[in-house]
Amino acid sequence: MELPAAGAAIAALFGLLIGSFLNVVVWRVPRGESIAHPPSHCPRCGHRIRWYDNVPVISWLVLRAKCRDCGNPISARYPAVELGTGVAFALVGLWWALVRLPQHLSVVAALVELVAYLYLAAITIALALIDLDVFRLPNAIVYPAYVVGAVLLGLVALLDGDGWGALRALIGCVALFLFYLIVVLVYPSGMGLGDVKLAGVLGLFTAWIGWGGLTVGAFAAFLLGGVFGVVLLIAQRAGRKTRIPFGPWMLAGAWVGIVAGEPIAGAYLRAFGLA
Ligand SMILES: [Zn+2]
């Protein structure tokens, strides 16, 4: 157990730093701003943030949620995103060490796969927050995810000699993209093209794990989104016209598929005597 625990701790620290970067991404990408320039600054007074005021979570606590220069409040969302990313990375690290690592022939392949799913965790947080903020899934994040996913998982397939895994991921990518495209064409008011484009990415990453990952991931998105919609209606927080972004549910569903899809699909097939 020492290795998974140590791996999770390292992943958590890495996640805190990535979370700090995601705060910049979530603020700037929907505004069409560069994520590299200018350096981080207070949105109120424009003062550049000193490196020692940019330590994840800790700086927010030390500064007691106020800008050092103008004293205006700093949203609790910043440390929450940093902490959330740290926890998410730790969980991905644990899942990988316990479930995925033993399945690889090559240790290098296993490590590349870990990087791929940490990347997916990072864009999951960024895309979910941006979709909740502005009802958009920016191409600037979604398009590169196809390239990063194909290159990293393609490399894993090459190192492990897992050509079937690569083909399955490609089929999943195309299948989920087409499925969402049909849904959007049939029921245009429910979702947008942003969801269709994201679906291809999620098809790639869930089908790489297995057919169970793909199918459970796709079902879980509609199940989670549907249940949440009904809860909102019952709580009368939403009218029938209230717009609820679907991206966060697609992303949450995909992670259900990635982590639990194989055992769920296996139990389902056994229950019906199919496996
Ligand atoms: Zn300020």
Side-chain angles (χ1 to χ4, degrees):
M1 269 310 280
E2 285 90 9
L3 180 70
I10 294 166
L13 287 176
F14 184 51
L16 287 172
L17 294 172
I18 296 294
S20 184
F21 173 66
L22 292 180
N23 277 319
V24 177
V25 169
V26 169
W27 177 264
R28 294 191 186 184
V29 169
R31 289 168 177 79
E33 298 172 11
S34 160
I35 50 171
H37 298 283
S40 294
H41 54 272
C42 169
R44 303 287 184 99
C45 68
H47 263 101
R48 188 167 166 178
I49 295 167
R50 299 158 185 83
W51 66 267
Y52 51 83
D53 285 341
N54 215 0
V55 181
V57 184
I58 294 169
S59 288
W60 185 82
L61 294 171
V62 169
L63 290 168
R64 281 184 266 166
K66 286 190 193 82
C67 171
R68 188 185 288 278
D69 295 297
C70 66
N72 272 306
I74 305 168
S75 168
R77 178 159 135 172
Y78 291 99
V81 168
E82 288 158 356
L83 208 57
T85 310
V87 171
F89 272 40
L91 292 174
V92 170
L94 265 183
W95 161 77
W96 171 82
L98 295 172
V99 180
R100 299 299 300 175
L101 182 58
Q103 299 191 25
H104 289 282
L105 297 176
S106 144
V107 177
V108 180
L111 285 168
V112 175
E113 186 187 59
L114 173 62
V115 173
Y117 284 88
L118 289 177
Y119 168 81
L120 182 66
I123 64 164
T124 290
I125 291 166
L127 288 171
L129 289 171
I130 293 171
D131 205 9
L132 289 167
D133 280 351
V134 297
F135 295 100
R136 272 182 50 216
L137 296 165
N139 291 338
I141 298 173
V142 174
Y143 287 166
Y146 280 95
V147 180
V148 173
V151 168
L152 291 180
L153 297 179
L155 188 58
V156 178
L158 208 62
L159 288 164
D160 266 351
D162 187 7
W164 172 233
L167 181 63
R168 191 179 56 230
L170 178 66
I171 293 171
C173 172
V174 175
L176 207 60
F177 181 95
L178 290 177
F179 172 71
Y180 271 85
L181 184 62
I182 292 166
V183 170
V184 167
L185 291 175
V186 171
Y187 180 57
S189 59
M191 285 172 214
L193 277 179
D195 298 317
V196 176
K197 287 181 263 184
L198 175 62
V201 172
L202 299 180
L204 180 78
F205 278 92
T206 54
W208 168 257
I209 301 297
W211 295 122
L214 175 69
T215 48
V216 171
F219 274 114
F222 287 93
L223 192 66
L224 291 171
V227 168
F228 182 76
V230 169
V231 168
L232 271 189
L233 273 177
I234 292 170
Q236 297 189 322
R237 297 279 304 274
R240 276 167 188 273
K241 298 276 180 193
T242 305
R243 221 167 139 219
I244 303 162
F246 197 61
W249 304 113
M250 295 174 68
L251 292 155
W255 280 101
V256 171
I258 288 165
V259 174
E262 292 303 301
I264 289 174
Y268 186 85
L269 291 178
R270 273 192 302 279
F272 289 91
L274 298 169

